[in-house]
Amino acid sequence: MSATDRIPLLIDTDPGVDDAWALLMAFASPAHEVLGLTITAGNVGLEHTVRNALKLCEVAEVDVPVYPGCAVPLVFPAEDAAYVHGRDGFGDTAYLAPTRVAETEHAALAMIRFSRSHPGLLLVCLGPLTNLALALRLDPTLPSRIGRLVVMGGAVTGQGNTSVSAEFNVAFDPEAAHVVFEAFPAFDLVDWEVVLRHGLPHADVEQWLDAPAPKAAFYKAISQRTREWSEGRRGTHWHSADGLAMAAALEPEAATGWHRHAIEVETGGRLARGATIVDWADRSGRPAKARILAGLRPERFRHWLRLALA
Ligand code: RIB
Ligand code: CA
């Protein structure tokens, strides 16, 4: 495909081990042109997520600009997920520092600028939605220039991963998720529960990571700690939340189904701050903005996972 008819793709991310696999997928897609990476805090602090993004671009040998975003959520502070991803967010491997530096333009401003230079672009959000919420407050017309928004986040029947009922990305900045869900007329949602239905046997992953390619070797190293944590906590299968979201973003035809319903984010509450409340019975009369992924063909998911490492 020539560069002109590739789909322009902007990715907001908090790398993070599963983010890294998703980014390698996007870099490997022949049908997409990655315009840039906008970085948020989340899995670990912004300093680490920016450095990890720069390092991954270097390993993947892609010259994609990296834009630092918000270091903290919009309103209230939140705990990171270093216990899953390592203190540095990439398995604490003490990798050689990246030689490239990040851009000086803020992520929120970069999002607005790219929406004007590439109207109709595909925007994939793999972390807390702080940057996108900020961009929306700066430019409320932004959604009109986004062709398709794909969000990894939420737990659509209340089976959370960071608390009983909340998923990490939304729970890290519920106010930002509320701003985004209210501002966009429609968006695709890949939630934690559909991720749980697409587990990857650790044995298969270990075989894929032995592929004779620098990207595979790097990913094997940065993911080791997370894979060991997952095996100890969740058993024989590993879950790549951002990997599934990116596969659904790159190949929506591979979906086995979608549910369209209204959705709201709990921003208050003693028990369920960060929960995503889906109107499954369509009783609220609110617009059914969220197209919730029901499933993805497993063979296509595996295709993208392996292409990413080749
Ligand atoms: O709940 C999973 C999400 O939270 C993924 O995006 C993971 O990277 C973390 O950010
Ligand atoms: Ca993420």
Side-chain angles (χ1 to χ4, degrees), residues 14 18-19 43 126-127 169 242:
D14 61 334
D18 61 326
D19 300 71
N43 282 319
L126 303 175
N169 286 337
D242 295 332

Side-chain angles (χ1 to χ4, degrees), residues 108-139:
L109 297 174
M111 281 178 171
I112 295 167
R113 179 171 56 78
F114 278 122
S115 76
R116 294 191 183 284
S117 62
H118 296 77
L121 64 81
L122 167 61
L123 174 58
V124 177
C125 293
L126 303 175
L129 292 166
T130 316
N131 290 332
L132 183 51
L134 202 53
L136 287 163
R137 287 298 187 246
L138 290 168
D139 179 356

